[in-house]
Amino acid sequence: MPPYPFSKLNVFKTKSALGEYLAPFRKSGKRIGFVPTMGALHAGHISLIQAAKKENDLVVCSIFVNPTQFNDPEDLKKYPRPVEKDLALLEEHHCDVVFMPEVEEMYADNAPWTHDFGLLERVFEGKFRAGHFRGVGQIVKMLFESVEPHHAYFGQKDFQQFLVIKKLVSDFHMPVELTACPIVREANGLAMSSRNVHLSLEERSNAGQIFRILSQTRENLYLFPVAELEKTAMEQLALIPGASPEYFNIVNNTDLSAVTNPETEAVCVALVAVRIGKTRLIDNMILKP
Ligand code: AMP
């Protein structure tokens, strides 16, 4: 399938070609696992491919830098797109199918997105990146309709995104099982991200502090009031050279509302967003259980 000369990878650029290829597998009862990505793949993405490989007969990975989820044109423009490297990595990890549509293929009918995820799309990432989750909902729905997977895999790294996708599947009654996989980190604790390539070596090293601050918050969960933990974390984030913290909040894992007493909450998670230099990073940690 030129121009991607990889022997076992089946690369498709159109929904119709993908659908034709997958139909016989689906008909014969094979389970299709799906990993949606924006490319610039790293070990975090590969962990999702591996989870999908374990539980399905066929794994589809999509690579699509979705313009509607970017609220910052500069971020979209400089988003890394190392296509050949991505395809080589997917082949190395025995991914079966890659869906790599152009923007025109996905947005040909230009249908407006009107669904509202409620408060979930307006807090944290939704607040700092207005419209982001509308774009995520729009593209993930279209990708699910194109791939029709039995099971889709996402990273806990984008904690709020996973809740939005759970709501998407429930609101539209989509027959797809969802799994959130653990965050894969660099040796210094920095959560792997395609945007990490924009960090200088020094920034990358300093960004390890985010994990340290999350871990320290987890250790102190029952020792200090939540408001104090959040304030201390924000102060410590601000001490990272070149850092502008956006938020650090301890919330529940269902609707991301504020936790006041961790003792009475089933699950507490700390969500953080911080800019280091020009690069915006997000991370999170389940503090309890
Ligand atoms: P992206 O290409 O950034 O849209 O990410 C595609 C998928 O990979 C999403 O479900 C992310 O949550 C997941 N992902 C990104 N970074 C990591 C990571 N460090 N560990 C695990 N999953 C990740």
Side-chain angles (χ1 to χ4, degrees):
M1 191 150 300
Y4 306 108
F6 297 96
S7 56
K8 291 190 212 91
L9 261 186
N10 293 289
V11 182
F12 298 103
K13 297 203 129 204
T14 64
K15 293 184 261 186
S16 57
L18 175 74
E20 254 173 55
Y21 180 81
L22 293 178
F25 288 97
R26 193 172 295 108
K27 233 179 176 170
S28 63
K30 299 262 190 269
R31 275 185 72 81
I32 299 172
F34 180 40
V35 178
T37 80
M38 296 205 299
L41 304 179
H42 49 66
H45 297 113
I46 297 305
S47 73
L48 308 187
I49 300 283
Q50 285 165 338
K53 289 287 294 178
K54 268 193 206 143
E55 299 177 339
N56 301 277
D57 301 302
L58 195 80
V59 174
V60 181
C61 175
S62 63
I63 297 180
F64 182 66
V65 183
N66 175 38
T68 69
Q69 72 188 67
F70 284 78
N71 62 332
D72 173 1
E74 196 51 36
D75 186 23
L76 173 61
K77 206 170 111 196
K78 70 175 193 191
Y79 201 85
R81 290 168 169 88
V83 175
E84 300 289 326
K85 202 168 144 231
D86 284 352
L87 292 175
L89 202 59
L90 288 174
E91 169 150 59
E92 184 190 333
H93 292 278
H94 312 291
C95 179
D96 303 291
V97 175
V98 183
F99 182 42
M100 234 173 42
E102 299 291 339
V103 172
E104 298 72 37
E105 171 72 6
M106 296 314 286
Y107 289 105
D109 63 1
N110 209 12
W113 177 256
T114 52
H115 191 70
D116 194 321
F117 293 109
L119 199 59
L120 199 51
E121 71 170 52
R122 292 185 238 295
V123 293
F124 301 111
E125 288 307 282
K127 182 170 159 199
F128 281 86
R129 302 181 68 192
H132 172 63
F133 289 119
R134 300 177 73 80
V136 169
Q138 185 179 27
I139 191 61
V140 173
K141 180 165 182 285
M142 287 194 286
L143 289 170
F144 279 0
E145 284 162 354
S146 306
V147 178
E148 291 184 66
H150 296 88
H151 200 145
Y153 298 78
F154 294 87
Q156 184 206 307
K157 159 81 167 39
D158 297 276
F159 195 91
Q160 188 175 6
Q161 171 176 279
F162 189 67
L163 295 189
V164 166
I165 287 159
K166 275 212 292 203
K167 188 152 170 45
L168 174 84
V169 163
S170 147
D171 288 356
F172 288 95
H173 312 289
M174 303 185 97
V176 51
E177 207 177 317
L178 300 175
T179 292
C181 299
I183 303 174
V184 177
R185 298 180 178 281
E186 306 278 358
N188 72 348
L190 172 63
M192 288 196 181
S193 163
S194 305
R195 289 186 177 86
N196 290 355
V197 295
H198 300 313
L199 295 168
S200 68
L201 276 182
E202 198 183 340
E203 287 173 335
R204 191 180 274 250
S205 152
N206 291 335
Q209 290 297 318
I210 301 167
F211 178 69
R212 188 191 61 75
I213 294 165
L214 283 165
S215 306
Q216 175 193 295
T217 306
R218 184 175 57 190
E219 278 163 33
N220 290 340
L221 186 64
Y222 300 107
L223 303 179
F224 300 95
V226 166
E228 202 174 319
L229 291 172
E230 291 172 342
K231 183 167 169 278
T232 305
M234 284 295 275
E235 285 166 0
Q236 295 201 350
L237 286 167
L239 294 176
I240 302 173
S244 328
E246 290 185 348
Y247 60 80
F248 186 106
N249 287 91
I250 298 175
V251 297
N252 72 21
N253 68 333
T254 48
D255 61 2
L256 304 183
S257 56
V259 165
T260 41
N261 181 4
E263 308 265 5
T264 58
E265 205 72 53
V267 179
C268 299
V269 51
L271 303 179
V272 54
V274 52
R275 279 182 193 275
I276 302 220
K278 287 188 173 160
T279 311
R280 186 172 184 278
L281 302 173
I282 61 168
D283 200 347
N284 65 79
M285 186 176 282
I286 294 172
L287 309 177
K288 176 198 174 184

